[in-house]
Structures are given as C-alpha cells and as structure tokens.
Amino acid sequence: MFSERQRLDALYAIVKTMRNQDANPRTVLQTALTMTGQAIGVQHGCVVTFRKDDRVDDILAMKSAEPEAERKLWLRLISRGLIGFVHHSRRLIVVRDISTDPRWPRLEENDAVPQSGSAIGLPMEKNGYMYGVLVLIHPQVDHFSEEIIEWLASVVDTISAVIGSAVVLNATPKDEGHYRWLFEDAVMPIIITDLDGYIVDANRRACEMLRYKRQDLLKLPISAIHRMGTGPIGANRFESLQMGHEVEFRSTAWPSEGGDIPVTVRARRVFFDDYDVIAWVEQDISAQMELDQLRQDLTAMVYHDLRGPLHTVYSSLSTLGRLLTNSTQPAVQDLLQVGIRSTRQLSRMIESLLDIQRLEEGKAVLDPKPTSVHSLLANAAQLVQPLASESRQKLIFNMLEELPFITCDADMILRVVTNLMENAVKYSPMGGTIKLGAERSSEGIRIVVSDSGPGIPKHMQRQIFDKFSRVKYKDAPKGLGLGLAFCRLAVEAHGGTIWVESEPGEGSAFIFTLPVDEKAEPVRV
Ligand code: ADP
C-alpha cells in the first residue's frame, strides 16, 4: 500500500514544502499536518502546541467540514483523552480501536467526528521541551501498522528538526513580550536570580527602591542587597527554593545609598524568559511599620495619660470619704464607695490594656516577686465581694491546703483573678454562686474560678481568649472582649496556661496554672 519509496517521497515532499515556507511555525506546522494526513489517507487530525507552563498554546487542525464539532473533540482529547496521555507520558500512543478504547471520549452522534477507526498520538519534542502533540485518526480499525508508525515518527523528528527551533524561538519573543511587560511594570520590586542566588535581572521598581542602576545589580549575589534572615529555613533557604518551595520572610534591604529598608521578601523558583530562575518579590513595609509604631505609641500614650487623672479622682474620693465619715446622710458613703470602686475598676482596665501591649511585644513580666497565693486570692475576693453582694450572689472561698509561694508580678496576677471573678459575677444570674479555689497540682499551682452562668459553647472555648472575641448571648452584658486576652497573655508570660471547662447551661470553670517557686517556704493557711 505504502511502499518504502512512497514513504521517502512523501517525507521529502513535506520537508521541501516546509523549507520553502516563511518561518512562521504555525503555517509550517499546518502544512506538515495536511501533507502527512494526505500521505497516509487520513482526514482528521490535529497538532496541539503547548507553552512552557504546559498550558495549551494553539490547536491546528486539518481542514474539516465541521470544524466546531471537531474542536470539541480535540479539547476533550486534551483534557481527558489521547492528547493528554501523550503530553503527560511523553510517549507515542496508538489507539487500535477508538470505539472501545477508554482513552477515546464518547461524543454525541455527529457524522463529522469519527466514532470508529484507529488513532495515533505522537509527542513533538525539541531539546527536551515538548512543544506539541500530533494526532491522526483513520476510519479503519488497526490502521497504524509498524511501518506507518515508524514513518510518522521520522516525520515528527523531521518537523522538529526543521521548525522545532522556530517554534521555541518564535514562541519566546511572544512570551517574553508578555512577561516583560508584567515584570517591568509590576508595582512590586522584583529581582530575578539564578538558582545560586546571583542577580540576573531586576525590574524598574526594584532599581528605584534599591537606588541601583540595573547593570550594577547584575551579578551581585542576592545576599548583597538584603539580609537573608534567620528564620527556620535559615541556611537551607536556597535548598528549599531549589526544591520548589515558596519562602517568605521579613528582612532588611540595603539600598546603594540612604537608610535600610524593612521589607517582606517572597521568593519562588519560576520559569522566566526560558530560564529556570528564582523570582524575589520585595515589598517595602516601612510605611506600614511606621504606622504600626505610631498607633502603638499613641495608644500607649493615651492609656498612660489616663492613669494620672484617674489616680487623682481616686485619692480625692478616698479623702472625701474620710472627711465625711460623720455625715448624717447614709447615701453619701454608699455613693462614695460606688465611685471609688468604679475608679479602681477603670484603673485596672487601663493597666491591663497597657499590659496587653507590653506582653504582645514580647516584653518580660515587670515586677516578679515571691507572693503568697492565699493573700493574693483573698485580696481579689475582697475586691469583688461588693459587686457580688449587689447581685445577691454567694462567694465561696475554697482553699484548705497548704499552698506554696509563687514568683509573680502580684499586681498582674491579681488583675487576672479579679477579671475572672468579675466575669463570673457579670455572667451569673441574681442569687448565683461563685467559687474561688486553689490547689497544688503537677504543674505547680492551679487556681479555679467557677460560676453558675450560661456556660460557654465548645467551639468558643479557645476563641474567647483572643482579643475582641465574645460569645453572642441573648441580653449579654456589655464588654470589649479584652479581659480574657489579657488573662491569657499574663498567665502565659508567667509560664502557666489558662483554659475553660464548661457545659452550656451548667456554668463555667476558668482554670489557670502557675509554676511554683520550689525554694520558697510553704505557707500554712
Ligand atoms: P468581655 O467580658 O469584656 O466581653 P472577656 O475577654 O472578659 O471580655 O470575655 C470574652 C467573652 O467570653 C465574653 O464576651 C463572654 O462572651 C465570654 N465569657 C467570659 N467569661 C464568661 C463566663 N464566666 N461565663 C460565660 N461567658 C463568659
């Protein structure tokens, strides 16, 4: 049917035609496809070309009566059929009978699209880059004999030899133009290095930020323009990047002139302009850091400046209380006490807000001293008692054991306990019971504040220790959601843990532990 002579003639005709054409790879491929089809009597076939990122670049099909229906077939063969298999396995695949082979999709009845016969898919490669797949369909089952397969393979080799470089080279300027534009005009500074970290390119924003001319940046190691950071990936950063992981870290960039610039660096291995490289996106975060600092300074200042006047109100009210001890009006003392209590509460809140800020910045506990747990808890109970009495709640103080001393910032831990107790009062109904207890435990000492409130749903039991986190109860008392965040930070800064045990409807028990100062004397209570 197809003699050695005919095969050679056909191949020669294909090469000659391709050579005589302009260098446009698409026209060349189209001609090669048509001629190959004609030589072996095939009416349906296509060449699908792929980009470097494996996405489909183009579909070139043989002339067809129903191009739209046929295109649907090609698309399905790409996504889950023969073309996809060839592309991923990079192997030549023959489908001997398309009516039974699972690699062949079932399509709606359509005369233009073959439903029976055989098919072949051939990978088209050049220098290890698979730029396309050639597919041909013949109406006869088992049409692609060894001879034809061999011939087609040599046709594909020849096509690749003649135009392979044209496809790769011609595709590059198009892609390059596309990426160049994105790269050059990107709002973020981007630096490209080779896999060893030597700079091979930098976009306009990077040159502006670093105050370098592009040519002066080239060949410098990336470590010459910013600190590589000491995060967990540390020294293995390049290894990690080479393995394809994305790395992100905060760092300091060193411009050629002017001060250091705080940056967030995100780096990843990419294909760019045909090269296997690392792209480093450097975000200047100095404005954001300045703003953060300003906000922190401002809040610290506000809290700090509130303390002074509040202290004056407190001492004025206390003095007034002493001056008016003989007042005949019983309401006078009551009102004074309410004023004093509220002022104290306000000042505790301000202290806690200041502490949240300090502890979040990772600063150490201010004033650690050996402290008696018993007197600390008694003090807290005394502070909260008036609030509980107002709601006719019973306060049970439960501490029968010998308790050791703890080393802590007593004022801070006192605020933790009063915070928990005030919450217990706030969330328990009129006439409820609040218990305060302490015991030795394997962790050191364990302090428990339990109440007869509504309880806390399981899914909120961790969250409530985050800032501004609140459970949505019906008629819930007002609050900011900062108290428990302060408690967690304060307890953790002392080396302890805090959690809640609760069943909805059955009250809650807030528990925290603190390590014990083993050298200190035990105290009998
Ligand atoms: P605030 O009480 O100001 O809202 P907190 O941080 O002290 O802030 O508490 C956070 C949330 O946890 C509260 O809004 C409330 O929903 C819940 N919560 C705290 N303590 C209790 C408690 N004893 N019983 C029930 N819910 C509580």
Side-chain angles (χ1 to χ4, degrees), residues 419-420 423-428 451 453-456 460 464-466 468-473 476-486 507-508 510:
N419 242 304
L420 296 178
N423 273 354
V425 169
K426 199 157 84 169
Y427 293 99
S428 293
D451 63 45
I456 293 161
M460 288 296 290
I464 50 169
F465 293 99
D466 290 337
F468 309 114
S469 169
R470 313 197 65 225
V471 185
K472 290 194 177 65
Y473 303 114
K478 287 200 180 69
L480 280 179
L482 283 173
L484 290 179
F486 159 73
S508 322
F510 282 84

mmCIF file of all heavy atoms in Angstrom, residues 419-420 423-428 451 453-456 460 464-466 468-473 476-486 507-508 510, ligand 1:
data_model
loop_
_atom_site.group_PDB
_atom_site.id
_atom_site.type_symbol
_atom_site.label_atom_id
_atom_site.label_comp_id
_atom_site.label_asym_id
_atom_site.label_seq_id
_atom_site.Cartn_x
_atom_site.Cartn_y
_atom_site.Cartn_z
ATOM 1 N N ASN A 419 -10.363 39.797 87.154
ATOM 2 C CA ASN A 419 -11.012 39.751 85.845
ATOM 3 C C ASN A 419 -11.922 38.533 85.719
ATOM 4 O O ASN A 419 -13.069 38.647 85.305
ATOM 5 C CB ASN A 419 -9.922 39.599 84.761
ATOM 6 C CG ASN A 419 -9.909 40.768 83.833
ATOM 7 O OD1 ASN A 419 -10.923 41.079 83.236
ATOM 8 N ND2 ASN A 419 -8.758 41.398 83.720
ATOM 9 N N LEU A 420 -11.375 37.369 86.112
ATOM 10 C CA LEU A 420 -12.159 36.138 86.014
ATOM 11 C C LEU A 420 -13.356 36.195 86.961
ATOM 12 O O LEU A 420 -14.464 35.774 86.606
ATOM 13 C CB LEU A 420 -11.290 34.922 86.342
ATOM 14 C CG LEU A 420 -10.123 34.640 85.382
ATOM 15 C CD1 LEU A 420 -9.319 33.436 85.846
ATOM 16 C CD2 LEU A 420 -10.627 34.410 83.956
ATOM 17 N N ASN A 423 -16.010 38.592 85.670
ATOM 18 C CA ASN A 423 -16.770 37.921 84.612
ATOM 19 C C ASN A 423 -17.783 36.957 85.214
ATOM 20 O O ASN A 423 -18.936 36.900 84.780
ATOM 21 C CB ASN A 423 -15.833 37.122 83.693
ATOM 22 C CG ASN A 423 -15.263 37.977 82.570
ATOM 23 O OD1 ASN A 423 -15.656 39.136 82.408
ATOM 24 N ND2 ASN A 423 -14.332 37.417 81.817
ATOM 25 N N ALA A 424 -17.324 36.191 86.235
ATOM 26 C CA ALA A 424 -18.209 35.216 86.873
ATOM 27 C C ALA A 424 -19.440 35.931 87.438
ATOM 28 O O ALA A 424 -20.578 35.475 87.276
ATOM 29 C CB ALA A 424 -17.465 34.472 87.963
ATOM 30 N N VAL A 425 -19.215 37.085 88.070
ATOM 31 C CA VAL A 425 -20.326 37.866 88.639
ATOM 32 C C VAL A 425 -21.222 38.374 87.501
ATOM 33 O O VAL A 425 -22.444 38.271 87.538
ATOM 34 C CB VAL A 425 -19.787 39.051 89.475
ATOM 35 C CG1 VAL A 425 -20.906 40.019 89.849
ATOM 36 C CG2 VAL A 425 -19.069 38.556 90.717
ATOM 37 N N LYS A 426 -20.546 38.903 86.470
ATOM 38 C CA LYS A 426 -21.259 39.534 85.354
ATOM 39 C C LYS A 426 -22.165 38.527 84.626
ATOM 40 O O LYS A 426 -23.277 38.842 84.245
ATOM 41 C CB LYS A 426 -20.201 40.073 84.379
ATOM 42 C CG LYS A 426 -20.660 41.112 83.422
ATOM 43 C CD LYS A 426 -19.477 41.944 82.936
ATOM 44 C CE LYS A 426 -18.745 41.308 81.779
ATOM 45 N NZ LYS A 426 -17.775 42.195 81.138
ATOM 46 N N TYR A 427 -21.675 37.306 84.445
ATOM 47 C CA TYR A 427 -22.430 36.336 83.634
ATOM 48 C C TYR A 427 -23.311 35.399 84.464
ATOM 49 O O TYR A 427 -24.058 34.613 83.901
ATOM 50 C CB TYR A 427 -21.467 35.532 82.738
ATOM 51 C CG TYR A 427 -20.842 36.419 81.680
ATOM 52 C CD1 TYR A 427 -19.565 36.939 81.844
ATOM 53 C CD2 TYR A 427 -21.571 36.774 80.536
ATOM 54 C CE1 TYR A 427 -19.002 37.778 80.879
ATOM 55 C CE2 TYR A 427 -21.012 37.615 79.575
ATOM 56 C CZ TYR A 427 -19.727 38.113 79.763
ATOM 57 O OH TYR A 427 -19.201 38.952 78.822
ATOM 58 N N SER A 428 -23.216 35.465 85.837
ATOM 59 C CA SER A 428 -24.086 34.601 86.649
ATOM 60 C C SER A 428 -25.382 35.347 86.967
ATOM 61 O O SER A 428 -25.384 36.570 87.089
ATOM 62 C CB SER A 428 -23.395 34.218 87.958
ATOM 63 O OG SER A 428 -22.301 33.391 87.686
ATOM 64 N N ASP A 451 -18.501 29.458 88.126
ATOM 65 C CA ASP A 451 -19.716 30.272 88.268
ATOM 66 C C ASP A 451 -20.958 29.470 87.900
ATOM 67 O O ASP A 451 -20.871 28.317 87.483
ATOM 68 C CB ASP A 451 -19.610 31.523 87.384
ATOM 69 C CG ASP A 451 -19.513 31.195 85.914
ATOM 70 O OD1 ASP A 451 -20.278 30.341 85.436
ATOM 71 O OD2 ASP A 451 -18.661 31.800 85.223
ATOM 72 N N GLY A 453 -23.164 30.629 85.599
ATOM 73 C CA GLY A 453 -23.648 31.375 84.437
ATOM 74 C C GLY A 453 -24.121 30.465 83.312
ATOM 75 O O GLY A 453 -24.332 29.269 83.528
ATOM 76 N N PRO A 454 -24.253 31.030 82.104
ATOM 77 C CA PRO A 454 -24.835 30.279 80.981
ATOM 78 C C PRO A 454 -23.883 29.238 80.379
ATOM 79 O O PRO A 454 -24.288 28.431 79.549
ATOM 80 C CB PRO A 454 -25.090 31.374 79.936
ATOM 81 C CG PRO A 454 -24.091 32.436 80.253
ATOM 82 C CD PRO A 454 -23.876 32.396 81.723
ATOM 83 N N GLY A 455 -22.619 29.240 80.786
ATOM 84 C CA GLY A 455 -21.650 28.309 80.185
ATOM 85 C C GLY A 455 -21.178 28.840 78.837
ATOM 86 O O GLY A 455 -21.697 29.833 78.330
ATOM 87 N N ILE A 456 -20.202 28.144 78.285
ATOM 88 C CA ILE A 456 -19.604 28.625 77.027
ATOM 89 C C ILE A 456 -19.608 27.491 76.005
ATOM 90 O O ILE A 456 -19.138 26.389 76.301
ATOM 91 C CB ILE A 456 -18.168 29.122 77.281
ATOM 92 C CG1 ILE A 456 -18.238 30.371 78.157
ATOM 93 C CG2 ILE A 456 -17.441 29.454 75.983
ATOM 94 C CD1 ILE A 456 -16.986 30.719 78.844
ATOM 95 N N MET A 460 -16.417 27.868 71.175
ATOM 96 C CA MET A 460 -15.892 29.193 71.535
ATOM 97 C C MET A 460 -14.862 29.110 72.660
ATOM 98 O O MET A 460 -14.298 30.125 73.061
ATOM 99 C CB MET A 460 -17.047 30.092 71.993
ATOM 100 C CG MET A 460 -17.978 30.562 70.914
ATOM 101 S SD MET A 460 -17.141 31.615 69.719
ATOM 102 C CE MET A 460 -16.828 33.093 70.681
ATOM 103 N N ILE A 464 -12.453 32.588 72.996
ATOM 104 C CA ILE A 464 -12.716 33.693 73.931
ATOM 105 C C ILE A 464 -11.435 34.265 74.540
ATOM 106 O O ILE A 464 -11.448 35.361 75.069
ATOM 107 C CB ILE A 464 -13.688 33.286 75.068
ATOM 108 C CG1 ILE A 464 -13.218 31.999 75.710
ATOM 109 C CG2 ILE A 464 -15.116 33.181 74.566
ATOM 110 C CD1 ILE A 464 -13.975 31.697 76.993
ATOM 111 N N PHE A 465 -10.331 33.523 74.415
ATOM 112 C CA PHE A 465 -9.066 34.044 74.945
ATOM 113 C C PHE A 465 -8.333 34.920 73.917
ATOM 114 O O PHE A 465 -7.232 35.374 74.172
ATOM 115 C CB PHE A 465 -8.160 32.898 75.413
ATOM 116 C CG PHE A 465 -8.726 32.174 76.611
ATOM 117 C CD1 PHE A 465 -9.417 30.989 76.457
ATOM 118 C CD2 PHE A 465 -8.589 32.706 77.887
ATOM 119 C CE1 PHE A 465 -9.963 30.337 77.549
ATOM 120 C CE2 PHE A 465 -9.122 32.058 78.992
ATOM 121 C CZ PHE A 465 -9.819 30.874 78.828
ATOM 122 N N ASP A 466 -8.968 35.103 72.742
ATOM 123 C CA ASP A 466 -8.376 36.012 71.752
ATOM 124 C C ASP A 466 -8.965 37.408 71.942
ATOM 125 O O ASP A 466 -10.088 37.545 72.439
ATOM 126 C CB ASP A 466 -8.705 35.545 70.322
ATOM 127 C CG ASP A 466 -7.959 34.276 69.985
ATOM 128 O OD1 ASP A 466 -6.915 34.033 70.622
ATOM 129 O OD2 ASP A 466 -8.431 33.537 69.109
ATOM 130 N N PHE A 468 -10.922 40.746 71.431
ATOM 131 C CA PHE A 468 -12.201 41.147 70.830
ATOM 132 C C PHE A 468 -13.101 39.969 70.493
ATOM 133 O O PHE A 468 -13.947 40.056 69.615
ATOM 134 C CB PHE A 468 -11.979 41.980 69.560
ATOM 135 C CG PHE A 468 -11.038 43.123 69.755
ATOM 136 C CD1 PHE A 468 -9.822 43.166 69.119
ATOM 137 C CD2 PHE A 468 -11.381 44.151 70.624
ATOM 138 C CE1 PHE A 468 -8.940 44.206 69.326
ATOM 139 C CE2 PHE A 468 -10.505 45.213 70.835
ATOM 140 C CZ PHE A 468 -9.280 45.237 70.194
ATOM 141 N N SER A 469 -12.923 38.848 71.184
ATOM 142 C CA SER A 469 -13.766 37.699 70.886
ATOM 143 C C SER A 469 -14.839 37.589 71.963
ATOM 144 O O SER A 469 -14.540 37.587 73.157
ATOM 145 C CB SER A 469 -12.871 36.464 70.847
ATOM 146 O OG SER A 469 -13.665 35.338 70.820
ATOM 147 N N ARG A 470 -16.102 37.509 71.562
ATOM 148 C CA ARG A 470 -17.205 37.466 72.526
ATOM 149 C C ARG A 470 -18.235 36.441 72.079
ATOM 150 O O ARG A 470 -18.438 36.232 70.896
ATOM 151 C CB ARG A 470 -17.880 38.842 72.638
ATOM 152 C CG ARG A 470 -16.912 40.013 72.794
ATOM 153 C CD ARG A 470 -17.614 41.250 73.311
ATOM 154 N NE ARG A 470 -18.109 41.046 74.662
ATOM 155 C CZ ARG A 470 -19.316 41.400 75.061
ATOM 156 N NH1 ARG A 470 -20.163 41.938 74.226
ATOM 157 N NH2 ARG A 470 -19.704 41.178 76.293
ATOM 158 N N VAL A 471 -18.889 35.811 73.036
ATOM 159 C CA VAL A 471 -19.968 34.878 72.700
ATOM 160 C C VAL A 471 -21.241 35.695 72.578
ATOM 161 O O VAL A 471 -21.470 36.606 73.374
ATOM 162 C CB VAL A 471 -20.151 33.817 73.824
ATOM 163 C CG1 VAL A 471 -21.176 32.777 73.411
ATOM 164 C CG2 VAL A 471 -18.826 33.158 74.155
ATOM 165 N N LYS A 472 -22.066 35.359 71.568
ATOM 166 C CA LYS A 472 -23.294 36.150 71.399
ATOM 167 C C LYS A 472 -24.427 35.535 72.224
ATOM 168 O O LYS A 472 -25.105 34.628 71.785
ATOM 169 C CB LYS A 472 -23.685 36.194 69.925
ATOM 170 C CG LYS A 472 -22.746 37.031 69.102
ATOM 171 C CD LYS A 472 -23.317 37.344 67.742
ATOM 172 C CE LYS A 472 -22.383 38.234 66.965
ATOM 173 N NZ LYS A 472 -21.089 37.586 66.651
ATOM 174 N N TYR A 473 -24.572 35.981 73.481
ATOM 175 C CA TYR A 473 -25.708 35.534 74.289
ATOM 176 C C TYR A 473 -26.836 36.534 74.106
ATOM 177 O O TYR A 473 -26.591 37.684 73.775
ATOM 178 C CB TYR A 473 -25.375 35.547 75.780
ATOM 179 C CG TYR A 473 -24.196 34.725 76.194
ATOM 180 C CD1 TYR A 473 -23.060 35.339 76.704
ATOM 181 C CD2 TYR A 473 -24.248 33.353 76.114
ATOM 182 C CE1 TYR A 473 -21.985 34.601 77.121
ATOM 183 C CE2 TYR A 473 -23.156 32.600 76.529
ATOM 184 C CZ TYR A 473 -22.038 33.230 77.033
ATOM 185 O OH TYR A 473 -20.975 32.507 77.436
ATOM 186 N N ALA A 476 -26.683 39.809 76.585
ATOM 187 C CA ALA A 476 -25.345 39.693 77.191
ATOM 188 C C ALA A 476 -24.894 41.038 77.732
ATOM 189 O O ALA A 476 -25.200 42.073 77.142
ATOM 190 C CB ALA A 476 -24.353 39.209 76.153
ATOM 191 N N PRO A 477 -24.189 41.026 78.878
ATOM 192 C CA PRO A 477 -23.660 42.290 79.388
ATOM 193 C C PRO A 477 -22.649 42.870 78.406
ATOM 194 O O PRO A 477 -22.081 42.141 77.602
ATOM 195 C CB PRO A 477 -22.960 41.887 80.690
ATOM 196 C CG PRO A 477 -23.226 40.455 80.899
ATOM 197 C CD PRO A 477 -23.783 39.872 79.660
ATOM 198 N N LYS A 478 -22.458 44.192 78.517
ATOM 199 C CA LYS A 478 -21.536 44.841 77.574
ATOM 200 C C LYS A 478 -20.089 44.498 77.896
ATOM 201 O O LYS A 478 -19.757 44.194 79.032
ATOM 202 C CB LYS A 478 -21.701 46.355 77.666
ATOM 203 C CG LYS A 478 -22.987 46.849 77.045
ATOM 204 C CD LYS A 478 -22.867 48.328 76.723
ATOM 205 C CE LYS A 478 -24.141 48.858 76.102
ATOM 206 N NZ LYS A 478 -25.244 48.900 77.060
ATOM 207 N N GLY A 479 -19.233 44.560 76.930
ATOM 208 C CA GLY A 479 -17.811 44.303 77.161
ATOM 209 C C GLY A 479 -17.066 44.433 75.851
ATOM 210 O O GLY A 479 -17.675 44.474 74.782
ATOM 211 N N LEU A 480 -15.754 44.480 75.955
ATOM 212 C CA LEU A 480 -14.932 44.660 74.749
ATOM 213 C C LEU A 480 -14.323 43.357 74.261
ATOM 214 O O LEU A 480 -13.863 43.243 73.129
ATOM 215 C CB LEU A 480 -13.768 45.619 75.055
ATOM 216 C CG LEU A 480 -14.064 47.097 75.045
ATOM 217 C CD1 LEU A 480 -12.808 47.866 75.396
ATOM 218 C CD2 LEU A 480 -14.553 47.513 73.661
ATOM 219 N N GLY A 481 -14.280 42.373 75.150
ATOM 220 C CA GLY A 481 -13.614 41.132 74.769
ATOM 221 C C GLY A 481 -12.107 41.220 74.923
ATOM 222 O O GLY A 481 -11.375 40.573 74.192
ATOM 223 N N LEU A 482 -11.662 42.039 75.869
ATOM 224 C CA LEU A 482 -10.201 42.168 76.066
ATOM 225 C C LEU A 482 -9.724 41.496 77.354
ATOM 226 O O LEU A 482 -8.569 41.136 77.480
ATOM 227 C CB LEU A 482 -9.802 43.647 76.112
ATOM 228 C CG LEU A 482 -9.750 44.354 74.766
ATOM 229 C CD1 LEU A 482 -9.514 45.839 74.954
ATOM 230 C CD2 LEU A 482 -8.662 43.757 73.891
ATOM 231 N N GLY A 483 -10.664 41.312 78.313
ATOM 232 C CA GLY A 483 -10.293 40.793 79.635
ATOM 233 C C GLY A 483 -9.585 39.445 79.549
ATOM 234 O O GLY A 483 -8.501 39.258 80.121
ATOM 235 N N LEU A 484 -10.179 38.483 78.859
ATOM 236 C CA LEU A 484 -9.597 37.138 78.815
ATOM 237 C C LEU A 484 -8.309 37.113 77.990
ATOM 238 O O LEU A 484 -7.430 36.310 78.255
ATOM 239 C CB LEU A 484 -10.606 36.125 78.267
ATOM 240 C CG LEU A 484 -11.789 35.813 79.193
ATOM 241 C CD1 LEU A 484 -12.735 34.821 78.531
ATOM 242 C CD2 LEU A 484 -11.303 35.269 80.526
ATOM 243 N N ALA A 485 -8.233 38.015 76.984
ATOM 244 C CA ALA A 485 -6.992 38.086 76.195
ATOM 245 C C ALA A 485 -5.858 38.519 77.122
ATOM 246 O O ALA A 485 -4.758 37.965 77.087
ATOM 247 C CB ALA A 485 -7.143 39.072 75.054
ATOM 248 N N PHE A 486 -6.159 39.487 77.979
ATOM 249 C CA PHE A 486 -5.146 39.919 78.943
ATOM 250 C C PHE A 486 -4.777 38.753 79.869
ATOM 251 O O PHE A 486 -3.602 38.480 80.113
ATOM 252 C CB PHE A 486 -5.657 41.119 79.763
ATOM 253 C CG PHE A 486 -4.922 41.280 81.059
ATOM 254 C CD1 PHE A 486 -3.620 41.763 81.066
ATOM 255 C CD2 PHE A 486 -5.516 40.908 82.257
ATOM 256 C CE1 PHE A 486 -2.917 41.859 82.260
ATOM 257 C CE2 PHE A 486 -4.826 41.002 83.451
ATOM 258 C CZ PHE A 486 -3.510 41.485 83.449
ATOM 259 N N GLY A 507 -22.876 26.453 83.823
ATOM 260 C CA GLY A 507 -21.805 27.285 84.372
ATOM 261 C C GLY A 507 -20.453 26.992 83.749
ATOM 262 O O GLY A 507 -20.321 26.100 82.907
ATOM 263 N N SER A 508 -19.460 27.769 84.150
ATOM 264 C CA SER A 508 -18.112 27.595 83.597
ATOM 265 C C SER A 508 -17.101 27.570 84.728
ATOM 266 O O SER A 508 -17.326 28.173 85.777
ATOM 267 C CB SER A 508 -17.728 28.776 82.702
ATOM 268 O OG SER A 508 -18.805 29.215 81.954
ATOM 269 N N PHE A 510 -13.153 28.608 84.991
ATOM 270 C CA PHE A 510 -11.924 29.127 84.380
ATOM 271 C C PHE A 510 -10.765 28.680 85.259
ATOM 272 O O PHE A 510 -10.777 28.917 86.473
ATOM 273 C CB PHE A 510 -11.973 30.649 84.273
ATOM 274 C CG PHE A 510 -12.819 31.110 83.128
ATOM 275 C CD1 PHE A 510 -14.194 31.221 83.262
ATOM 276 C CD2 PHE A 510 -12.244 31.389 81.894
ATOM 277 C CE1 PHE A 510 -14.982 31.616 82.200
ATOM 278 C CE2 PHE A 510 -13.021 31.790 80.820
ATOM 279 C CZ PHE A 510 -14.394 31.906 80.980
HETATM 280 P P1 ADP B 1 -15.828 40.915 77.921
HETATM 281 O O1 ADP B 1 -16.406 40.240 79.114
HETATM 282 O O2 ADP B 1 -15.409 42.303 78.147
HETATM 283 O O3 ADP B 1 -16.647 40.736 76.699
HETATM 284 P P2 ADP B 1 -13.722 38.924 78.148
HETATM 285 O O4 ADP B 1 -12.479 38.784 77.351
HETATM 286 O O5 ADP B 1 -13.595 39.004 79.614
HETATM 287 O O6 ADP B 1 -14.461 40.190 77.566
HETATM 288 O O7 ADP B 1 -14.654 37.705 77.764
HETATM 289 C C1 ADP B 1 -14.818 37.325 76.439
HETATM 290 C C2 ADP B 1 -16.141 36.637 76.234
HETATM 291 O O8 ADP B 1 -16.127 35.378 76.898
HETATM 292 C C3 ADP B 1 -17.295 37.364 76.850
HETATM 293 O O9 ADP B 1 -17.819 38.328 75.944
HETATM 294 C C4 ADP B 1 -18.285 36.269 77.115
HETATM 295 O O10 ADP B 1 -18.988 36.018 75.919
HETATM 296 C C5 ADP B 1 -17.402 35.086 77.440
HETATM 297 N N1 ADP B 1 -17.254 34.857 78.875
HETATM 298 C C6 ADP B 1 -16.238 35.268 79.660
HETATM 299 N N2 ADP B 1 -16.404 34.865 80.930
HETATM 300 C C7 ADP B 1 -17.562 34.180 80.957
HETATM 301 C C8 ADP B 1 -18.285 33.473 81.978
HETATM 302 N N3 ADP B 1 -17.852 33.414 83.238
HETATM 303 N N4 ADP B 1 -19.440 32.851 81.637
HETATM 304 C C9 ADP B 1 -19.877 32.900 80.356
HETATM 305 N N5 ADP B 1 -19.249 33.540 79.360
HETATM 306 C C10 ADP B 1 -18.110 34.164 79.646
#
